[in-house]
């Protein structure tokens, strides 16, 4: 039970939600049958937390219902929980409500829980509650109160806990601190907590907190115009968020990166990210963010002098802003739209919009955006021949642009003024303005060039970072990504079905092949409870040892089985892959095993293969690790990898000098859970080759073995040269 729960918690921390879920589900079944109400209670709360994180990441309310159902089960138990458990239940409830933005209900629960925690001097719970409360207030926009609560949590932590021994609690507090400090624009302190958090979260393998830390560091770097570093942090946060299916943070990263790219005049990369958000995550955006994106995209197209493309974006921004009664946003959208209309030659519409915008800018005393509108109005007057008014408006526009440090509007103002005075026949003035225009636009181009250069540097840095991240996450690639990328509810539902399918598989196997370890757990647990009661003597301790061993083994089997049932079901893209490169990656993964066994691996020049990268890695890795594992005790493994190719198939051979396999077993070894040795002789679960076979089938190929006992084995697999149509 403990091992399962520990396992589930560990996966939960890494936000491998599917794995966490499976372990907790099994724990719950077990607890319902054999365990104490306390076990059921704890497990239900864990399951509720897993589902609520799932709901939050996937932005799918369905999962909140599941979470709530588990809390109901916990509550309905025929068991009077200690205050600590009561607090946990309330806390979980509040978090679920908080994520659903039911702020009042959530704070009621939190206050109640806080009172119980304080009365019973449950300091750890108190701190966690304060953190949740601070988070709730932060999301509700009450930054001052959020800051107070965060400070209170930090003070309590410092007073009652030793940092070294309570890092995960510290991480909770620091995450909240760093985030609220960013909201309050106290970047100096945000950086301090962000850095601390980054190192603890990595140490604890806590992926969500790591993402939080990366985002904080990225935002702080961006506000200090340290774009290169900011982009590296965003990139890392993006990859990690995508990996765990955390959609909100994926969207945040994409938008932030797009904004920085736009700032660096790299319009293509900026647009690519905005479009990704609009295409894949639109339903997750609130109207305010959507308006901001439409305005930004429109601005990019306007700067690219593509007013026809820009037009509909500003129009959409305007419609949404009006629908939501957001007057400043609507005025800004009108100003932009008008500017685009001017460029398109729709003078009447442009004038109408610009006048409306000007009116509300004046009424609201807004300055941001007014420079654009004034200059646009100036241009309209100029075109209509009203030169005095044009000059006056252009001067006002120039002043507003200066106040706002808007270089490009200033340049536009100088240019417009030069044109106006030229038409007026005031050549000396026109000349002065023109000189100023030339001087400024030269400086501006230089700055633009500098930024573009910086953009190039960033590209390089990101490529490096990407490689680094890939290397780090490769290990995790196969470990069940329920929420990998999916965003639409439909996809989530499909995955839910898939998950159920997998769980069914588990149920099947749990009742057949896994009976033996399960029975072991059951009987030893019974022996302890019945015979020994609460006195734990040496025997009891030994039995406990068996129990843990059984549970661990069951976990291995379940993990392996999970791998088997999900293999090839990801939507990984197929591509032409260099087999030699794949072998190199596998060698890195197996470094320790290779070094310990003294294995010699020789590899011929191998052809390219059309496959999914992780599938191919998994296939090669299973074959190579078997070739090393089933070695003769006295001679180091010699392994040779070669390949041949005809029009239809690439055939790869992995030859070893190990113990070999008797003829009658050659087929059996590809069947799931079939092994030829006891675990004490050779570690394993008997699932590796079954996975290999599935992979080969999935790729339209096959796998077989030739072997002679005592002489070694040669495993062959052949894959079609031409990609499968599927
Ligand atoms: P596991 O390695 O976990 O036992 P596999 O499915 O990878 O599971 O292998 C099934 C069985 O096939 C192994 O237990 C072993 O008896 C046999 N086998 C696999 N590869 C080799 C090899 N290279 N040499 C000898 N026997 C092998």
């Amino acid at each position: 039970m403990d091992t399962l729960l520990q396992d589930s918690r560990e996966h939960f921390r890494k936000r491998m939600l599917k794995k966490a879920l499976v372990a907790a589900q099994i724990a719950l079944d077990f607890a319902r049958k054999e365990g104490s109400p306390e076990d059921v209670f704890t497990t239900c709360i864990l399951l509720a937390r897993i589902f609520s994180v799932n709901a939050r990441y996937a932005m799918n309310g369905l999962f909140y219902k599941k979470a709530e159902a588990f809390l109901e089960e916990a509550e309905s138990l025929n068991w009077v929980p200690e205050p600590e458990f009561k607090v946990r239940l309330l806390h979980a409830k509040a978090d679920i409500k908080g994520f659903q933005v039911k702020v009042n209900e959530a704070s009621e629960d939190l206050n109640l829980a806080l009172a119980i925690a304080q009365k019973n001097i449950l300091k750890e719970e108190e701190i966690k509650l304060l953190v949740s409360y601070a988070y709730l207030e932060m999301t509700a926009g009450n930054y001052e109160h959020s800051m107070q609560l965060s400070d209170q949590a930090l003070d309590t932590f410092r007073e009652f806990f030793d940092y070294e021994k309570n890092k995960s609690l510290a991480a909770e507090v620091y995450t909240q601190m760093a985030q609220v400090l960013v909201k309050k624009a106290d970047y100096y302190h945000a950086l301090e907590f962000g850095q601390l958090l980054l190192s603890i979260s990595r140490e604890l393998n806590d992926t969500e907190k790591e993402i939080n830390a990366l985002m904080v560091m990225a935002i702080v770097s961006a506000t200090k115009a340290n774009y290169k570093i900011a982009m590296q942090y965003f990139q890392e946060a993006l990859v990690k968020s995508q990996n765990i299916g955390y959609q909100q943070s994926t969207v945040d990263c994409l938008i932030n990166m797009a904004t920085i790219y736009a700032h660096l005049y790299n319009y293509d990369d900026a647009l690519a990210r905005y479009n990704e958000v609009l295409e894949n995550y639109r339903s997750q955006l609130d109207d305010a963010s959507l308006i901001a994106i439409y305005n930004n995209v429109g601005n990019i197209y306007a700067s690219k002098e593509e007013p026809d493309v820009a037009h509909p974006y500003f129009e959409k921004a305007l419609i949404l802003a009006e629908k939501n009664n957001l007057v400043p946003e609507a005025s800004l959208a009108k100003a932009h739209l008008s500017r685009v209309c001017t460029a398109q030659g729709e003078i009447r519409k442009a004038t109408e919009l610009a006048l409306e915008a000007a009116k509300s800018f004046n009424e609201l005393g807004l300055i941001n955006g007014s420079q654009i509108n004034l200059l646009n109005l100036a241009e309209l007057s100029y075109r209509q021949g009203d030169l005095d008014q044009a000059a006056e408006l252009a001067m006002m526009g120039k002043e507003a642009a200066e106040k706002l440090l808007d270089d490009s509007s200033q340049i536009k103002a100088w240019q417009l003024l030069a044109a106006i005075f030229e038409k007026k026949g005031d050549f000396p003035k026109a000349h002065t303005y023109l000189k100023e225009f030339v001087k400024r636009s030269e400086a501006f181009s230089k700055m633009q060039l500098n930024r573009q250069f910086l953009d190039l540097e960033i590209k390089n840095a990101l490529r490096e970072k990407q490689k680094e991240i890939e290397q780090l996450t490769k290990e995790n690639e196969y470990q069940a990504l329920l929420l990998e990328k999916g965003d639409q509810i439909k996809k989530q539902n499909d995955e839910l079905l898939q998950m159920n399918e997998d769980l069914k598989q588990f149920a099947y196997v749990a009742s057949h092949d896994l009976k033996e370890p399960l029975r072991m757990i059951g009987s030893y647990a019974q022996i302890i409870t019945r015979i020994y009661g609460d006195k734990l003597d040496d025997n009891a301790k030994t039995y406990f040892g068996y129990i843990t061993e059984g549970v661990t083994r069951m976990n291995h089997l379940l993990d392996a089985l999970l791998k088997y049932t999900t293999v090839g079901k990801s939507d990984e893209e197929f591509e032409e892959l260099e087999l030699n490169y794949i072998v190199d990656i596998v060698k890195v993964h197996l470094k320790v095993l290779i070094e310990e066994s003294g294995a010699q691996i020789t590899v011929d020049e191998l052809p390219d293969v059309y496959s999914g990268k992780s599938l191919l890695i998994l296939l090669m890795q299973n074959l190579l690790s078997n070739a090393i594992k089933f070695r003769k005790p006295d001679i180091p493994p010699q392994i040779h990898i070669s390949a041949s190719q005809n029009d239809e198939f690439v055939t790869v051979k992995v030859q070893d000098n190990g113990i070999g396999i008797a003829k009658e077993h050659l087929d059996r070894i590809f069947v799931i859970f079939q092994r030829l040795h006891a675990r004490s002789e050779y570690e394993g679960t008997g699932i590796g080759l079954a996975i290999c076979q599935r992979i080969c089938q999935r790729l339209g190929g096959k796998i077989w073995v030739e072997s002679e006992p005592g002489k070694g084995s040669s495993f062959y697999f052949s894959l079609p040269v031409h990609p499968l149509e599927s």
Side-chain angles (χ1 to χ4, degrees):
M1 191 68 209
D2 282 352
T3 320
L4 277 169
L5 285 179
Q6 235 174 43
D7 224 44
S8 173
R9 287 204 182 96
E10 174 76 22
H11 292 315
F12 186 43
R13 240 199 320 280
K14 292 187 190 157
R15 290 301 191 247
M16 294 177 181
L17 297 184
K18 194 169 180 179
K19 275 192 144 188
L21 178 62
V22 168
Q25 295 261 27
I26 296 170
L28 183 62
D29 277 348
F30 196 59
R32 278 176 184 150
K33 262 187 236 127
E34 321 236 351
S36 63
E38 182 184 325
D39 286 339
V40 179
F41 189 94
T42 320
T43 319
C44 278
I45 291 194
L46 180 59
L47 276 161
R49 289 208 168 272
I50 295 172
F51 271 109
S52 82
V53 168
N54 192 350
R56 184 158 57 90
Y57 281 8
M59 300 192 162
N60 181 350
L62 214 88
F63 294 109
Y64 285 124
K65 295 262 166 312
K66 290 214 155 218
E68 278 159 359
F70 282 115
L71 291 186
E72 271 163 30
E73 176 170 351
E75 229 175 346
S76 67
L77 284 173
N78 199 3
W79 176 60
V80 185
E82 318 244 305
E84 190 176 338
F85 291 100
K86 242 189 245 159
V87 170
R88 277 189 208 153
L89 182 69
L90 278 168
H91 191 173
K93 269 193 189 170
D95 279 351
I96 291 171
K97 286 177 187 156
F99 294 146
Q100 292 172 287
V101 212
K102 297 179 186 164
V103 179
N104 290 339
E105 289 176 41
S107 53
E108 243 169 61
D109 283 346
L110 284 173
N111 276 317
L112 192 58
L114 260 172
I116 306 178
Q118 278 159 350
K119 190 170 145 226
N120 293 282
I121 322 183
L122 300 165
K123 285 294 166 195
E124 182 171 344
E125 303 302 327
E126 183 182 336
I127 290 171
K128 287 184 181 167
L129 287 163
L130 285 168
V131 167
S132 280
Y133 201 0
Y135 180 81
L136 186 72
E137 287 290 66
M138 186 175 80
T139 48
N142 305 329
Y143 301 145
E144 277 312 317
H145 193 208
S146 174
M147 190 73 234
Q148 278 170 16
L149 292 163
S150 311
D151 276 333
Q152 201 182 332
L154 185 66
D155 290 343
T156 318
F157 177 76
R158 287 191 173 144
E159 188 178 346
F160 292 95
F161 292 89
D162 175 11
Y163 165 79
E164 283 301 327
K165 286 190 205 129
N166 296 281
K167 287 196 178 160
S168 85
L169 190 57
E172 304 267 334
V173 181
Y174 292 176
T175 313
Q176 178 48 35
M177 265 292 179
Q179 286 179 325
V180 72
L181 286 164
V182 167
K183 295 276 184 213
K184 292 198 67 197
D186 180 349
Y187 299 119
Y188 179 78
H189 290 105
L191 184 67
E192 191 185 325
F193 284 102
Q195 269 165 340
L196 279 171
L197 182 62
L198 190 61
S199 73
I200 318 183
S201 59
R202 288 191 166 148
E203 197 181 316
L204 298 173
N205 270 326
D206 187 326
T207 310
E208 185 177 323
K209 297 217 167 56
E210 191 181 347
I211 293 172
N212 285 331
L214 289 165
M215 294 285 278
V216 167
M217 307 284 281
I219 293 168
V220 174
S221 310
T223 57
K224 292 188 176 168
N226 215 334
Y227 299 122
K228 192 165 147 188
I229 296 187
M231 285 299 247
Q232 284 176 304
Y233 283 129
F234 277 130
Q235 173 77 2
E236 195 170 348
L238 176 67
V239 173
K240 299 215 148 116
S241 310
Q242 284 172 332
N243 272 346
I244 62 167
Y246 191 174
Q247 297 193 15
Q248 184 59 53
S249 112
T250 306
V251 171
D252 288 348
C253 289
L254 285 169
I255 292 181
N256 278 307
M257 291 176 90
T259 312
I260 294 181
Y261 275 130
H263 189 68
L264 298 173
Y265 301 102
N266 177 347
Y267 293 138
D268 290 346
D269 279 318
L271 286 173
R273 274 154 195 80
Y274 281 130
N275 283 331
E276 190 176 343
V277 173
L278 288 177
E279 274 162 28
N280 299 332
Y281 302 97
R282 196 212 224 84
S283 53
Q284 271 94 61
L285 294 170
D286 56 25
D287 283 351
S289 323
L290 208 51
I291 294 170
I293 294 179
Y294 286 144
N295 270 330
N296 289 351
V297 174
N299 267 325
I300 291 179
Y301 283 115
S303 309
K304 282 167 64 122
E305 298 189 5
E306 295 177 28
D308 294 347
V309 191
H311 191 116
Y313 284 101
F314 289 133
E315 210 155 46
K316 282 186 210 164
L318 178 57
I319 293 171
L320 267 184
E322 285 185 332
K323 191 183 109 196
N324 288 283
N325 253 334
L326 298 167
V327 185
E329 283 77 4
S331 321
L332 194 62
K334 273 183 198 163
H336 284 311
L337 195 55
S338 163
R339 186 165 57 111
V340 169
C341 287
T342 310
Q344 288 174 303
E346 291 181 36
I347 304 299
R348 261 193 50 195
K349 189 167 178 205
T351 314
E352 201 177 293
L353 284 163
L355 289 174
E356 281 176 33
K359 194 165 158 251
S360 42
F361 277 129
N362 280 339
E363 277 169 12
L364 298 168
L366 292 174
I367 154 144
N368 196 4
S370 66
Q371 83 280 24
I372 291 170
N373 204 43
L374 286 165
L375 290 172
N376 182 33
L377 277 168
E379 184 166 344
L380 286 165
S381 303
Y382 168 75
R383 287 200 190 189
Q384 285 159 343
D386 189 345
L387 299 179
D388 288 337
Q389 188 172 330
E392 193 185 327
L393 288 163
M395 280 313 265
M396 283 162 68
K398 183 172 81 71
E399 276 159 27
E402 277 164 359
K403 261 192 218 148
L404 289 163
L405 305 175
D406 175 351
D407 288 336
S408 65
S409 292
Q410 282 180 56
I411 291 170
K412 188 164 180 219
W414 292 111
Q415 188 184 21
L416 199 56
L417 282 165
I420 295 168
F421 282 92
E422 194 188 322
K423 217 176 203 175
K424 277 181 151 199
D426 188 343
F427 296 115
K429 254 199 179 148
H431 190 217
T432 325
Y433 288 135
L434 197 63
K435 269 203 307 208
E436 196 65 28
F437 164 68
V438 172
K439 200 175 97 194
R440 301 251 178 165
S441 33
E442 267 173 14
F444 189 68
S445 318
K446 261 193 213 148
M447 186 265 301
Q448 231 172 346
L449 261 180
N450 274 338
R451 291 214 192 141
Q452 279 162 350
F453 188 70
L454 178 60
D455 177 58
L456 274 181
E457 269 186 54
I458 288 176
K459 254 195 203 121
N460 251 328
L462 287 191
R463 211 170 291 138
E464 289 301 310
K465 185 96 223 164
Q466 186 68 25
K467 274 190 207 148
E468 197 182 294
I469 300 170
E470 270 170 18
Q471 200 57 39
L472 283 172
T473 47
K474 205 158 274 159
E475 288 285 308
N476 294 337
E477 256 169 32
Y478 255 81
Q479 299 180 337
L481 288 173
L482 160 68
L483 304 164
E484 33 184 19
K485 269 188 187 164
D487 46 312
Q488 282 96 15
I489 288 176
K490 181 182 171 308
K491 189 155 181 225
Q492 290 302 331
N493 285 343
D494 287 349
E495 280 178 341
L496 194 66
L497 285 179
Q498 173 66 49
M499 192 170 80
N500 284 339
E501 201 45 48
D502 292 346
L503 285 173
K504 257 193 235 154
Q505 283 266 15
F506 272 109
Y508 175 77
V509 174
S511 62
H512 293 84
D513 304 86
L514 302 183
K515 260 207 177 137
E516 190 241 356
L518 270 174
R519 207 178 301 123
M520 191 166 119
I521 298 171
S523 43
Y524 282 109
Q526 275 171 11
I527 291 172
I528 292 164
T529 42
R530 275 202 212 126
I531 305 180
Y532 295 90
D534 39 31
K535 302 186 293 288
L536 267 189
D537 62 14
D538 283 352
N539 273 336
K541 279 183 194 142
T542 321
Y543 292 142
F544 262 123
Y546 290 148
I547 292 173
T548 337
E549 197 195 310
V551 172
T552 318
R553 216 168 95 215
M554 180 170 79
N555 274 328
H556 283 321
L557 287 172
L558 290 173
D559 283 350
L561 188 66
L562 179 61
K563 236 185 196 172
Y564 178 76
T565 52
T566 51
V567 89
K569 282 186 185 160
S570 78
D571 43 16
E572 180 175 53
E573 268 185 36
F574 281 21
E575 55 189 321
E576 208 65 56
L577 294 167
E578 278 176 46
L579 252 179
N580 284 91
Y581 167 63
I582 300 292
V583 172
D584 285 342
I585 297 178
V586 171
K587 282 207 289 204
V588 174
H589 289 180
L590 299 178
K591 197 165 178 278
V592 178
L593 189 63
I594 294 174
E595 279 172 5
E596 278 174 5
S597 62
Q600 293 287 336
I601 303 175
T602 49
V603 189
D604 285 356
E605 189 67 42
L606 303 173
D608 289 356
V609 166
Y610 188 79
S611 162
K613 194 166 169 191
S614 353
L615 288 180
L616 203 56
I617 292 179
L618 195 59
L619 173 61
M620 284 308 295
Q621 188 158 320
N622 277 329
L623 292 180
L624 266 186
S625 61
N626 275 350
I628 301 174
K629 187 161 67 171
F630 297 104
R631 60 179 177 267
K632 289 190 203 142
D634 40 352
I635 37 172
Q638 287 274 359
I639 300 159
H640 184 67
I641 306 176
S642 55
S644 61
Q645 183 170 4
N646 61 21
D647 285 349
E648 277 180 85
F649 288 100
V650 170
T651 303
V652 180
K653 175 177 175 187
V654 180
Q655 181 178 19
D656 66 45
N657 61 341
I659 56 173
I661 304 161
K663 211 170 172 186
E664 62 271 25
H665 298 314
L666 289 183
D667 288 332
R668 196 159 78 89
I669 55 172
F670 294 101
V671 176
I672 187 165
F673 295 128
Q674 293 291 335
R675 351 193 26 246
L676 310 176
H677 307 275
R679 257 184 321 117
S680 51
E681 267 181 289
Y682 294 96
E683 263 297 318
T685 51
I687 207 155
L689 289 176
I691 288 182
C692 290
Q693 191 171 46
R694 269 195 103 158
I695 294 176
C696 290
Q697 283 165 352
R698 166 95 176 79
L699 297 173
K702 56 181 181 172
I703 182 166
W704 69 97
V705 60
E706 288 171 5
S707 179
E708 226 178 288
K711 290 208 171 148
S713 317
S714 294
F715 281 84
Y716 295 86
F717 64 88
S718 64
L719 304 176
V721 173
H722 303 292
L724 276 187
E725 297 291 332
S726 77

